[in-house]
Amino acid sequence: TEEPLAHSARQNGAPQTYAEHVVNVVNGARERAEAMAACHRDASIRAKLIAATVDGARFHDLGKLDPDIQAALRQGRDAKLCWDHVDAGVAYLMAHGAETAAWIVRGHHAPGLPSRPHPFTMK
């Protein structure tokens, strides 16, 4: 089986693997969250902020592991994804009680957060 991709071929022609992308995003998010959290005097709040940020980074592209999206990514830069890959990470995080991380994922993919009831309404 082929290694999952996070992005189609870049300018240099090489696609980015899902694992490489997630490691890079998690490392960068943790670094920025730690710098931001350092300004808060409550250690438990600092830890929660960092954990939510890292969880959001870890699951932000979870939907890209879907076989149909992987097939589209392998077609190249002009391929269109068959559904919104954001939904899987948001749903996973919400199902595991990580609402703040879910909001981070949603906000990352759609800056200018929508109204709260809309993106997380579950039936």
Side-chain angles (χ1 to χ4, degrees), residues 6-114:
H7 300 283
S8 298
R10 295 183 256 181
Q11 300 294 4
N12 65 3
Q16 185 179 38
T17 68
Y18 184 84
E20 175 189 14
H21 177 64
V22 170
V23 166
N24 290 342
V25 171
V26 166
N27 289 340
R30 181 186 313 276
E31 182 179 316
R32 288 184 289 282
E34 287 172 349
M36 180 175 60
C39 297
H40 202 288
R41 58 195 135 155
D42 186 324
S44 68
I45 291 176
R46 286 195 305 266
K48 288 176 186 177
L49 174 63
I50 293 166
T53 302
V54 168
D55 285 346
R58 185 171 291 126
F59 294 102
H60 82 284
D61 274 348
L62 185 64
K64 287 186 177 180
L65 294 176
D66 179 88
D68 291 335
I69 291 182
Q70 284 296 302
L73 292 172
R74 291 187 191 293
Q75 289 176 17
R77 297 194 67 74
D78 294 330
K80 301 291 181 226
L81 301 185
C82 51
W83 55 274
D84 190 350
H85 74 282
V86 176
D87 298 341
V90 171
Y92 177 86
L93 290 162
M94 290 296 291
H96 288 84
E99 185 174 335
T100 301
W103 275 102
I104 289 170
V105 171
R106 188 71 187 112
H108 162 73
H109 284 103
L113 292 174

